[in-house]
Amino acid sequence: MNSSTTKQTPHRIGFVSLGCPKATVDSEHILTQLRAEGYEISPSYDGADLVVVNTCGFIDAAVEESLDAIGEALDENGKVIVTGCLGAKGDIVQKTHPNVLAVTGPHATDEVMKAIHEHLPAEHDPFLDLVPPQGIRLTPRHYAYLKISEGCNHHCTFCIIPDLRGKLVSRPVNDVLLEAERLAASGVKELLVVSQDTSAYGVDVKYKTEFYNGMPVKTRMTELCEALSRFGIWVRLHYVYPYPHVNEIIPLMAEGKILPYLDVPFQHASPKILKAMKRPASKENTMQRIKQWREICPEITIRSTFIAGFPGETEEDFQQLLDFLDEAQLDRVGCFAYSAVDGAKANELDGAVPEEVKQERVARFMEKQAGISANKLKQNIGKTRDVIIDAIDSEEKVIIARTSSDAPDIDGLVYLDIPANRPDKNDYQVGDITQVTITDTDEYDMWADFSE
């Protein structure tokens, strides 16, 4: 056979993806580009010609996890390119692991590909290098993250995201909708809209009007949600900063156009702590808005996250936070101990809270919220709910699903026994949406039977 026609074995790239959903989307973009250029993806270190590690650098634990992952990749493979938020934090990667081939910051597909080309040029085969229209994804087939912007214009004192990812840059709304259309066509049943600040979408381009399929659409959260609702799949909003115009999307939830689920990181309830965090909200305004949202859309699920042990937080401040939980009765809640992220302005504040006090407050917070959550979930017993199937365990004869009130990975689950005497209930597939009747609950999860 002529050597010029001999097919060469494609280079294989190992990939380690760490961090938040926004980082997951970055990983998916890199993986899509790799496959488009003919690289294969290796599931193991020893089968890879080179390894890319997409890192997180937001809190100390994430930095440590990322550095450990880079070290493991170097030990197991030896050729490593580092990308992600940790790469934007000065020379910490190079100082800790001087043998990495290259380091980039987040949202840097072009820079990563340039480094790969330098160390492992592609063997392109135009007949085989085919990528599905929806690109390469790291999530299961039935749901996908849809990132609508990059960066953030806020200067919260506990956060370094603007330093890592820059100021807000909104994606053109027609590009977002085209991606959503492709995802829906590929079988995705649930879109999780993510960004650093979802409700600020379009601010940087002055809510510019673009055209999608001949239809004018403003680069703005409300108009984007309205357009996404036309695909006939679940649309879930994450990281929604509580601007006044957030009120506009609640009627869309009440009308069933998008899921009645709002992820709003309130962070605290003490006016003193919120001011120190440079968060503009107040407990009174927040409670008023929560009441208003529930009046418009009674079935709304409100998720939030909070920080305990922020510098200067007294027992009185923390008690205000606990009182807020009692009053707000939020549906899904997470709490994190304050982490002195390198470069965060809050580290300069007086009144550092001892680590043991932080952890004790987190435990008290979660204990209180567990009781609230248990009581709220108990109200579902006997009710019919739509669920999306995430997994089917044939051996244990259990189906694992989620309601519209629960996002993947961070919220609760619904467990259903596969009925032996109902063959019509044994042909469900992952991604199917069906109705169930809730039979039991605990603090975070529910159990159900298939509805007749």
Side-chain angles (χ1 to χ4, degrees):
M1 182 181 290
N2 189 310
S3 60
S4 64
T5 61
T6 301
K7 171 135 175 63
Q8 301 200 25
T9 303
H11 293 308
R12 294 170 64 82
I13 307 293
F15 208 99
V16 179
S17 183
L18 305 172
C20 66
K22 281 88 72 179
T24 299
V25 175
D26 289 350
S27 294
E28 291 172 343
H29 290 168
I30 296 169
L31 288 166
T32 297
Q33 189 61 35
L34 284 168
R35 291 296 291 121
E37 295 188 16
Y39 293 95
E40 291 188 355
I41 309 304
S42 172
S44 63
Y45 291 121
D46 55 6
D49 299 303
L50 181 151
V51 177
V52 176
V53 180
N54 189 6
T55 60
C56 179
F58 184 46
I59 61 175
D60 292 345
V63 171
E64 184 177 350
E65 180 187 21
S66 294
L67 291 174
D68 288 347
I70 297 167
E72 179 180 291
L74 283 169
D75 291 341
E76 298 291 334
N77 182 277
K79 296 182 178 180
V80 177
I81 291 172
V82 176
T83 186
C85 287
L86 187 59
K89 297 186 72 170
D91 56 359
I92 183 173
V93 174
Q94 293 93 331
K95 283 185 176 180
T96 309
H97 298 295
N99 293 328
V100 297
L101 299 177
V103 179
T104 82
H107 196 54
T109 300
D110 291 343
E111 291 89 336
V112 172
M113 294 307 302
K114 181 179 179 182
I116 292 172
H117 293 157
E118 180 179 345
H119 296 281
L120 203 67
E123 300 291 347
H124 187 68
D125 186 336
F127 297 102
L128 295 179
D129 302 342
L130 302 178
V131 175
Q134 73 274 15
I136 306 299
R137 303 207 325 271
L138 298 177
T139 53
R141 185 181 178 187
H142 62 291
Y143 70 81
Y145 293 106
L146 182 67
K147 186 160 70 168
I148 63 173
S149 65
E150 186 63 60
C152 181
N153 289 343
H154 293 291
H155 299 283
C156 302
T157 57
F158 55 83
C159 183
I160 57 171
I161 289 296
D163 296 328
L164 297 179
R165 290 182 172 261
K167 290 189 174 183
L168 176 76
V169 179
S170 299
R171 287 182 63 192
V173 69
N174 52 337
D175 286 356
V176 173
L177 291 172
L178 181 59
E179 181 181 355
E181 178 186 345
R182 289 171 174 168
L183 289 168
S186 75
V188 166
K189 303 292 183 64
E190 177 181 11
L191 290 175
L192 299 107
V193 178
V194 297
S195 66
Q196 271 72 45
D197 183 1
T198 296
S199 40
Y201 179 61
V203 168
D204 55 313
V205 295
K206 299 181 180 179
Y207 305 122
K208 179 182 178 182
T209 297
E210 301 274 3
F211 286 85
Y212 166 72
N213 286 346
M215 175 182 67
V217 184
K218 275 189 176 182
T219 309
R220 189 169 179 270
M221 183 178 66
T222 304
E223 285 78 2
L224 174 63
C225 289
E226 185 81 54
L228 288 173
S229 73
R230 298 190 177 101
F231 295 118
I233 58 180
W234 284 10
V235 177
R236 188 184 303 277
L237 300 182
H238 286 277
Y239 311 109
V240 178
Y241 199 87
Y243 296 118
H245 71 266
V246 171
N247 293 359
E248 298 174 10
I249 64 173
I250 310 303
L252 301 183
M253 297 178 179
E255 295 165 16
K257 292 185 175 181
I258 62 175
L259 291 184
Y261 181 99
L262 197 60
D263 175 14
V264 185
F266 292 125
Q267 305 297 4
H268 215 281
S270 160
K272 183 189 81 176
I273 297 300
L274 286 169
K275 183 177 180 180
M277 289 178 168
K278 289 195 175 178
R279 303 285 291 187
S282 69
K283 176 183 173 182
E284 291 73 20
N285 290 341
T286 298
M287 282 308 311
Q288 183 179 357
R289 297 189 73 189
I290 290 173
K291 181 180 178 182
Q292 181 183 6
W293 295 339
R294 286 173 171 158
E295 287 174 350
I296 297 171
C297 183
E299 64 271 26
I300 191 171
T301 295
I302 302 175
R303 159 171 258 284
S304 193
T305 50
F306 297 87
I307 296 173
F310 188 83
E313 182 190 69
T314 63
E315 181 61 30
E316 180 182 352
D317 294 319
F318 182 68
Q319 187 58 51
Q320 289 183 53
L321 180 53
L322 296 182
D323 292 343
F324 173 77
L325 288 182
D326 281 328
E327 187 176 0
Q329 294 289 299
L330 300 176
D331 303 276
R332 308 288 187 267
V333 172
C335 182
F336 304 92
Y338 173 75
S339 176
V341 179
D342 186 28
K345 296 295 185 183
N347 299 338
E348 302 170 8
L349 299 175
D350 295 331
V353 178
E355 189 62 33
E356 61 271 19
V357 175
K358 293 181 193 176
Q359 298 302 330
E360 183 263 344
R361 288 177 180 171
V362 169
R364 286 164 57 196
F365 179 104
M366 293 309 298
E367 181 180 9
K368 175 172 283 291
Q369 179 59 32
I372 294 170
S373 179
N375 288 332
K376 292 182 77 72
L377 287 186
K378 191 180 296 183
Q379 297 170 22
N380 286 276
I381 294 177
K383 292 184 178 179
T384 299
R385 298 292 307 269
D386 287 339
V387 298
I388 187 167
I389 295 176
D390 279 339
I392 300 174
D393 189 332
S394 299
E395 289 187 7
E396 297 293 331
K397 298 190 181 304
V398 172
I399 290 177
I400 302 171
R402 288 178 290 109
T403 70
S404 59
S405 301
D406 299 287
D409 296 331
I410 56 175
D411 293 330
L413 299 170
V414 178
Y415 296 93
L416 299 113
D417 291 329
I418 300 176
N421 60 343
R422 291 287 303 277
D424 60 314
K425 299 300 182 185
N426 292 338
D427 58 357
Y428 281 108
Q429 303 293 322
V430 170
D432 285 350
I433 297 174
T434 187
Q435 287 193 330
V436 302
T437 301
I438 306 301
T439 58
D440 197 11
T441 61
D442 64 11
E443 291 93 339
Y444 302 110
D445 299 321
M446 297 189 285
W447 286 259
D449 292 331
F450 287 102
S451 299
E452 297 298 329

